[in-house]
Every structure is written in structure tokens, then in C-alpha cells.
Amino acid sequence: MSTPAINLWPRWLRILIVGAATATAIGSGWFAYRYFAKPVVLTVAAGSADGESLALISAISARLSASNSHVLLKVSDAGSSAKAAELLAAGKADLAVVRGDTRGLADARSVLLLTHGVVLIVTPAAVSADSLGDLHDTTIGVVGGAINAPTVEALKQVYQFDRAKVTFKNVAINDAAASLASGKVHALLAVVPLTEKYLAKVRQFFHQERAKGAGLKLIEIESAGAVANVAQYYESYEIPKGTLRGAPPVPSDDLTSLRLSYFLVANKSVNADAITDLAQSLVDAKRDLLSQFPILAQAAAPSTDADALIPIHPGAATYYNGNQQSFFDKYDDKLYYGSLLLGSLISILVAAWRFARSGRGPESMLEPLYEPGNEIRMAKSEAELDQIERRIDSILKAELARNAGGEGADGAEMAALGLASQRLQYLMSHCRTRLDHTLARPASN
């Protein structure tokens, strides 16, 4: 019976090949696991004049890292909402914190509504005007400068400031109080969330220089509805009574103004599954950071309406609409094909094991017992028969030893082995008889 060429390979070479193949399979599986299980890192651009936006996003990023979230944030200081939007549009950031009136958001999709900013126009109480339309010969300091330019432009579309001789002048946050006290400006316009931290900053504008101890009041934007119609990123909003001060209350009654939203947005090309996981992680982080950042109390799901100012990201919509898939629904196909692959790998490993064991000898010892039959028939001397008999004895002893160790043949094979040995014993006796007759014939002559 011919021996396969593969059985002629050294055993160490077969073991080396199988070992290398097994290591390659395990390594490939490990790298595949690491690829699919490793966290997704998204770059988020944030920035504001007071630095609060960057501090908030940095805290959220740290919280996601601490909670081993599948989506992690890499924070980039953009300096302003406008710059953050530019980085997002240029593909240099995956996410950005932006104001609703920021330009260049065509590719942006909302993930989380972070908070609302309210337009506050604050003047000393001595100013006689109560509404924006009543102001005349007034310079309004725009706190924050260029970031509030869209607000000023929206107001100019409704109010005739040129006729009323109302002008606007950009002032830095740190210079706002001094500008008001020196008379360089007569009122201050700021866009801030209605939280105690920001309202305290507004009050500070009236506690320095000559304005120290002076009363303050809020100017109503009575045509807020008209402004919201021409600039849809704003909405009319009623500032509650006593928001700025409780006793005496400022304002003394609910006051009409404008409000706009701050969003965490993602580029529309960002993977939907990653944004779904991020939205869930952000909601969880909100609960943990609320005491440190009370502004997060205003955080909520963005609008899912088709005509929303910033359309919602499909991944975020999946989470907020409760359409998240379960683990098995999400990975059903992967699990199915993975089970097929696992079965194939097991078959390959079994074949590899047999390949590595090839050459160690047949699983059954019947095959080696077939060959001595022809050798016995062709034997020319008693010495040859003795040599063949010793080889047969070795084969039988080896098989019996394997059987005693639990690795030998089953009952049927052992019965066949017994028949084969009897057959060889018969041939051996017959051959010895033949040889005896052959050797005795010349002596009789």
C-alpha cells in the first residue's frame, strides 16, 4: 500500500505547520475582537468666550472615559462656536458645540440639545425706556463681540435703529462693567443661559466703578415674535418675573425676549451606531454631572421634526425614539456567520490535528498485519519466518498495550485483529511444513 507523500514529512515539520496555522487563527480572532470591541473615539470641537463650553465638554469626556463608554470624546479647543462649526464642516472634528444661529451647519446633525441662551438687554434702572423700541440715542454694548453679531443682525431686521440713533459696540466680557460705568455704553446685550452662575455674572456688571450700588432693569424685546419670524433660529420667550433679582423683583413681571438653543452636533457622515451609543452615554453622564454643572438640567433630546432648525442625526433619533436594537437583533447576522465560521475552524483544527499525527502509525493495527501474509508465503528459510514472527509479535504487543491504555481498537476491531493473527499463525505453520518437506526431500534421495 503506497504511503502518502505527506506522511514522509518529519513530524516536527507537521507540528510546526499546525502550530503556525493555529497561532495565525488565534491572532486573527484576537485582532478582530480588538477591532470591533475597541472604543470609538470622536473629536469634538468646543469653545466659548467664558470657557464654560470647553469645561463642560471636558467633564463629559472624562466621565465617558471613567464609565468605559464604547464612544469616547477627544476635546479640541475651538475658541468659539463659529470656529467649532468651521472645524466640523472641514472634517477636522466629528462633533461640535454650536449655537443655533451659527452659520455653516449644512452638514451638521443634532445629537443633544445642551441648553438655551436668552437675550438679556440690561440697563441702569435710571433709564426711562422699558422696551427696545423706546431706546433713543443709546449705545448698546454687545458682550462677547462677534459671537453675538447674528443676534444684532436679527434685531436690525425688525427695529429701525438708525432712525432711533441706537448703535451697537462690541465689548469684551471683562470690560463690560467698566464700559457701562464710564458711559461708553448705556446698556449691555448678552446671550446667556438662565442659570445662577450666568445671572451672577450679569449682576456683576452693576457692582463696579460708578455703577456700584445702582439699580438695574431688563429691556423688553416687544417685537420678539417678529424677530423670530425673520430669523428662525430664535424664538420668542418670556423671562420669568424675578429672574435677575428677587427683591424687589427684576423683572417686575414676565418679560418678552428672545431665546436660542445650544447643540451638540455631529457631522452627518458619522456612523449612526456610534451616535446612538454616544446619545445613551450622554444621558447617563448628565445624571452624574448635574450637581457639578447645573446647566445640564436644561439638556434634552433635540427636535425630531423634519423641519427642525438642525435635523437630528439618525443615530440620535434611534436612541430618543426608543428604536435601539437588542444585542441579538443588532448582531444577529454576525452571530450566525460567526457560528458557521467557528464550525469551519473546528473542522480545520480537527483536520490539522490528524495531519500533525499522520506518520505516527495507523489508528488500527489491522493494516500492518496484511503485509506479513505475502512475506510468509515468500519465505525461503526458518530464519526469515522467525524474523517475521517476531515482527508480528511486536505489532500485537503494541496494539494490546494501546488497548490497555484506552487508546486501542474497539471490540469489532479487536475481533478482526484476532482473526488476522490466527490467519497469520496458520500461514506460518503451513510455511514451516513446506520448508520441512523441502529440506527433507534431498536426504531421502
Side-chain angles (χ1 to χ4, degrees):
M1 189 173 182
S2 61
T3 302
I6 198 171
N7 290 339
L8 301 178
W9 294 4
R11 185 183 174 195
W12 66 266
L13 178 59
R14 293 193 295 271
I15 293 176
L16 179 62
I17 293 173
V18 173
T22 303
T24 301
I26 294 174
S28 300
W30 171 250
F31 281 114
Y33 168 78
R34 292 287 295 174
Y35 176 79
F36 289 106
K38 71 178 181 180
V40 177
V41 180
L42 301 177
T43 301
V44 53
S48 58
D50 58 3
E52 291 296 323
S53 173
L54 188 64
L56 174 61
I57 293 300
S58 297
I60 291 175
S61 174
R63 183 58 195 167
L64 296 186
S65 298
S67 62
N68 295 320
S69 171
H70 180 62
V71 179
L72 302 179
L73 299 180
K74 178 183 177 182
V75 182
S76 174
D77 185 3
S80 67
S81 173
K83 183 62 177 178
E86 291 177 8
L87 293 176
L88 184 77
K92 297 180 180 179
D94 305 299
L95 304 161
V97 177
V98 298
R99 278 173 42 156
D101 59 357
T102 303
R103 295 179 175 85
L105 298 179
D107 293 332
R109 298 295 181 265
S110 60
V111 176
L112 182 69
L113 192 158
L114 285 171
T115 189
H116 295 286
V118 177
V119 179
L120 299 181
I121 301 178
V122 189
T123 66
V127 174
S128 58
D130 293 321
S131 64
L132 189 56
D134 293 337
L135 291 178
H136 295 278
D137 298 317
T138 301
T139 299
I140 300 176
V142 182
V143 181
I147 190 63
N148 288 322
T151 305
V152 174
E153 293 301 319
L155 293 174
K156 286 181 177 180
Q157 292 185 63
V158 174
Y159 289 93
Q160 302 296 320
F161 289 125
D162 291 340
R163 184 177 301 176
K165 297 182 180 180
V166 174
T167 59
F168 293 87
K169 180 179 180 180
N170 292 339
V171 295
I173 293 177
N174 296 333
D175 298 334
S179 297
L180 186 66
S182 64
K184 293 180 180 179
V185 298
H186 308 107
L188 294 174
L189 181 152
V191 180
V192 298
L194 294 186
T195 63
E196 182 57 33
K197 183 174 185 177
Y198 283 94
L199 293 175
K201 292 182 179 181
V202 174
R203 297 187 193 105
Q204 290 176 0
F205 296 155
F206 291 83
H207 289 279
Q208 295 185 22
E209 304 296 336
R210 290 186 303 174
K212 185 176 181 180
L216 69 160
K217 69 178 182 180
L218 292 175
I219 296 297
E220 182 176 30
I221 304 177
E222 73 280 10
S223 299
V227 176
N229 286 335
V230 298
Q232 296 181 358
Y233 31 80
Y234 295 104
E235 61 179 331
S236 180
Y237 177 73
E238 297 295 319
I239 300 175
K241 175 183 176 180
T243 294
L244 201 57
R245 189 172 62 189
V250 177
S252 57
D253 200 354
D254 290 353
L255 189 92
T256 303
S257 186
L258 292 169
R259 185 174 77 167
L260 77 162
S261 300
Y262 291 78
F263 296 93
L264 174 66
V265 298
N267 191 291
K268 64 182 181 181
S269 63
V270 178
N271 181 267
D273 288 339
I275 296 300
T276 300
D277 292 340
L278 175 62
Q280 181 174 2
S281 298
L282 290 174
V283 171
D284 294 338
K286 170 186 172 181
R287 293 193 296 266
D288 298 330
L289 297 174
L290 191 56
S291 60
Q292 183 181 356
F293 293 92
I295 194 174
L296 285 175
Q298 301 180 18
S303 173
T304 58
D305 294 342
D307 59 348
L309 175 63
I310 301 178
I312 191 170
H313 195 285
T318 296
Y319 172 71
Y320 294 120
N321 291 333
N323 294 329
Q324 283 178 283
Q325 293 179 316
S326 67
F327 175 83
F328 290 103
D329 290 336
K330 188 174 182 179
Y331 297 104
D332 179 60
D333 291 341
K334 295 181 178 62
L335 290 173
Y336 173 73
Y337 290 111
S339 63
L340 293 180
L341 178 60
L342 179 60
S344 300
L345 287 176
I346 292 175
S347 299
I348 292 172
L349 289 175
V350 170
W353 174 249
R354 290 177 177 172
F355 165 72
R357 287 171 59 87
S358 61
R360 293 181 57 186
E363 295 295 330
S364 172
M365 301 307 259
L366 292 174
E367 184 178 341
L369 292 178
Y370 297 150
E371 299 179 6
N374 292 328
E375 296 177 8
I376 291 172
R377 294 186 184 93
M378 301 298 294
K380 303 294 186 183
S381 66
E382 184 70 24
E384 291 183 29
L385 289 176
D386 290 340
Q387 184 178 3
I388 295 171
E389 190 172 23
R390 285 194 296 271
R391 184 150 56 88
I392 293 173
D393 288 341
S394 298
I395 293 173
L396 293 175
K397 287 180 181 179
E399 179 62 15
L400 290 173
R402 289 181 62 203
N403 189 268
E407 299 179 358
D410 57 20
E413 289 181 335
M414 288 299 296
L417 186 65
L419 292 174
S421 62
Q422 292 178 13
R423 172 64 177 168
L424 291 175
Q425 185 178 6
Y426 170 78
L427 289 175
M428 193 74 68
S429 298
H430 180 75
C431 187
R432 281 196 170 97
T433 301
R434 177 175 57 81
L435 289 176
D436 289 342
H437 283 270
T438 302
L439 294 174
R441 191 175 302 147
S444 61
N445 293 333

